[in-house]
């Protein structure tokens, strides 16, 4: 390896090690999978690889978690992962409890299939802060091929009705984000998708598909042996709590292989700052030693080049409105 490249790599490693010593006092957000059940079979979802039993958190389990999130002074809580949150009968009480105890931002993602007028009104009145609608494709053919089990016209009407109901109630929250995945099946429709939904949404959010859990053939960019590697930022950003109460370090850990423990065993701060397994992961990442971490080794999040290529592609379409 040329001397100049060696020097740059060493400098970057020193910077990452300094970063290891500066773990933030709390995560930016905590993601809570209140249920891992879903009403769709989307082609980019790794649910087929999920071996965990279907489970809905109880209201008491969730309240205990929310109390710990508040105690740790975490400012955002996201109530979803590998499930559709509108399937959980206690979703509205869960949101209300978070707001009651003073968590600043409560957020969910939904496929909007169950978002009828009553559900929209309940979410608005519960003071949810952000509602992300997951949509793909600019027409029924593409959408229904990607989000198998949903009907495009019904879902599109549900999304539009939400914004109308919010306006009729004189509210500005929850902030409505329309999010889509940039991937091979939708790539040619991104410009039309942006034209269709940008005027409707508070924000149009473009995400590049992330292949994990055995998914293949959806991404348009691949890792190569020449890619520049980096520690995964997830280890310094957030924690995930699965529906069975297992704490894991990132959203791709769908079966708890890198389990840090059960949330019933310790507080958020204990997991974030003092959990030996999480700190071991951070050290290995700062050493770029992914060989002993199969879940991380195969993940594209450790490639700076892949992330740059995806960010460039997404930025062409992502726009925000005030």
């Amino acid at each position: 390896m040329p001397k100049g490249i060696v020097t740059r790599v060493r400098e970057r490693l020193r910077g990452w090690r300094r970063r290891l010593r500066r773990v933030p006092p709390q995560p930016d957000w905590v993601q809570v999978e209140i249920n891992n059940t879903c009403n769709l079979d989307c082609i980019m979802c790794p649910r087929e690889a999920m071996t965990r039993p279907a489970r809905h958190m109880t209201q008491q389990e969730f309240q205990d978690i929310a109390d710990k999130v508040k105690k740790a002074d975490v400012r955002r809580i996201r109530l979803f992962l590998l499930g559709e949150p509108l399937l959980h009968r206690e979703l509205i009480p869960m949101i209300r409890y978070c707001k009651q105890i003073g968590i600043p931002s409560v957020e969910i993602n939904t496929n909007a299939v169950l978002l009828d007028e009553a559900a929209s009104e309940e979410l608005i009145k519960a003071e949810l802060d952000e509602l992300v609608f997951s949509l793909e494709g600019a027409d029924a053919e593409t959408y229904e091929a990607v989000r198998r089990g949903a009907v495009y016209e019904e879902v599109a009407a549900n999304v539009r009705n939400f914004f109308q109901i919010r306006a009729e109630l004189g509210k500005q929250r929850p902030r409505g984000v329309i999010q889509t995945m940039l991937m091979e099946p939708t790539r040619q429709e991104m410009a039309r998708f942006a034209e269709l939904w940008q005027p409707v949404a508070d924000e149009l959010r473009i995400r590049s598909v992330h292949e994990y859990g055995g998914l293949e053939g959806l991404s348009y960019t691949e890792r190569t042996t020449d890619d520049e590697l980096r520690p995964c930022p997830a280890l310094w950003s957030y924690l995930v709590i699965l529906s069975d109460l297992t704490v894991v370090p990132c959203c791709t850990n769908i079966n708890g292989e890198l389990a840090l423990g059960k949330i019933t065993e310790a507080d958020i701060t204990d997991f974030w700052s003092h959990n030996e397994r999480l700190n071991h992961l951070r050290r290995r990442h700062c050493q770029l030693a992914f060989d002993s971490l199969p879940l991380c080794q195969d993940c594209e999040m450790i490639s700076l080049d892949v992330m740059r290529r995806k960010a460039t592609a997404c930025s062409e379409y992502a726009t925000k409105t005030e």
Side-chain angles (χ1 to χ4, degrees):
M1 186 181 293
K3 185 176 180 180
I5 295 177
V6 171
T7 300
R8 288 199 299 274
V9 169
R10 286 176 177 169
E11 288 175 350
R12 187 162 294 218
L13 283 171
R14 282 196 294 270
W16 286 330
R17 288 175 187 135
R18 287 193 297 271
R19 180 185 184 185
L20 181 61
R21 293 191 293 269
R22 295 199 302 269
V23 176
Q26 65 276 116
D28 294 334
W29 74 88
V30 171
Q31 189 150 344
V32 184
E33 183 189 61
I34 60 173
N35 62 297
N36 61 347
T37 57
C38 194
N39 51 352
L40 297 184
D41 180 26
C42 303
I43 64 172
M44 65 288 190
C45 179
R47 289 181 54 79
E48 287 187 2
M50 185 178 68
T51 58
R52 293 180 287 127
R55 188 176 192 275
H56 287 211
M57 279 187 187
T58 68
Q59 175 73 1
Q60 188 58 58
E61 288 171 340
F62 177 79
Q63 287 187 9
D64 291 344
I65 292 170
D67 288 341
K68 292 185 176 186
V69 170
K70 175 62 178 175
K71 181 180 177 182
D73 198 28
V74 179
R75 301 190 63 78
R76 297 172 62 198
I77 186 169
R78 311 180 80 184
L79 279 55
F80 64 94
L81 183 63
L82 284 185
E84 166 53 50
L86 292 183
L87 286 171
H88 201 303
R89 293 182 178 179
E90 302 297 327
L91 173 62
I92 299 302
M94 288 174 172
I95 295 169
R96 286 177 177 154
Y97 186 77
C98 290
K99 300 312 296 182
Q100 175 187 326
I101 65 174
I103 296 177
S105 186
V106 185
E107 308 162 13
I108 68 169
N109 275 41
T110 179
N111 57 40
V113 170
L114 300 175
L115 192 73
D116 57 18
E117 292 184 9
S120 287
E121 187 169 334
E122 283 187 322
L123 289 170
I124 294 165
K125 290 182 176 180
E127 299 184 350
L128 182 69
D129 294 283
E130 183 172 280
L131 180 57
V132 180
F133 305 100
S134 297
L135 301 172
E136 273 72 43
D139 57 36
E141 182 179 2
T142 302
Y143 173 84
E144 291 171 10
V146 171
R147 296 219 165 241
R148 295 175 298 201
V151 178
Y152 176 75
E153 294 299 338
E154 293 177 2
V155 171
N158 288 346
V159 174
R160 293 180 183 278
N161 286 342
F162 162 81
F163 288 98
Q164 181 177 341
I165 292 168
R166 191 184 67 175
E168 290 171 353
L169 292 174
K171 303 291 187 179
Q172 295 183 332
R173 287 285 188 272
R175 188 165 183 269
V177 177
I178 294 178
Q179 176 174 288
T180 192
M181 288 290 175
L182 177 56
M183 54 185 170
E184 285 297 348
T186 63
R187 198 175 177 190
Q188 302 304 317
E189 298 185 14
M190 295 305 297
R192 279 201 298 137
F193 184 93
E195 290 175 2
L196 180 66
W197 290 108
Q198 191 274 340
V200 177
D202 297 320
E203 177 186 347
L204 184 67
R205 186 176 295 168
I206 312 298
R207 293 283 186 261
S208 179
V209 70
H210 183 39
E211 294 187 345
Y212 64 102
L215 293 175
E216 293 182 2
L218 298 178
S219 182
Y220 56 89
T221 183
E222 302 289 340
R223 275 181 56 187
T224 73
T225 55
D226 297 325
D227 281 0
E228 181 180 359
L229 302 183
R230 64 162 185 181
C232 179
L235 301 179
W236 285 265
S237 301
Y238 66 98
L239 287 174
V240 175
I241 303 171
L242 302 178
S243 60
D244 63 2
L245 310 183
T246 300
V247 182
V248 294
C250 77
C251 63
T252 65
N253 192 194
I254 61 175
N255 288 313
E257 298 93 333
L258 297 177
L260 307 179
K262 296 286 188 179
I263 189 59
T264 52
E265 300 169 350
D267 287 338
I268 296 292
T269 302
D270 296 320
F271 279 105
W272 185 247
S273 300
H274 308 302
N275 184 274
E276 181 50 38
R277 189 164 197 189
L278 179 54
N279 285 327
H280 171 73
L281 284 172
R282 288 168 175 153
R283 288 192 295 270
R284 298 296 285 172
H285 273 244
C286 286
Q287 296 162 355
L288 302 185
F290 304 115
D291 53 308
S292 61
L293 306 171
L295 195 68
C296 303
Q297 176 180 279
D298 299 329
C299 182
E300 61 188 14
M301 289 294 289
I302 65 171
S303 168
L304 268 173
D305 296 281
V306 168
M307 293 299 103
R308 286 167 179 160
R309 290 193 291 270
K310 290 191 171 188
T312 299
C314 291
S315 66
E316 181 180 350
Y317 305 104
T319 56
K320 295 183 179 181
T321 58
E322 298 299 332

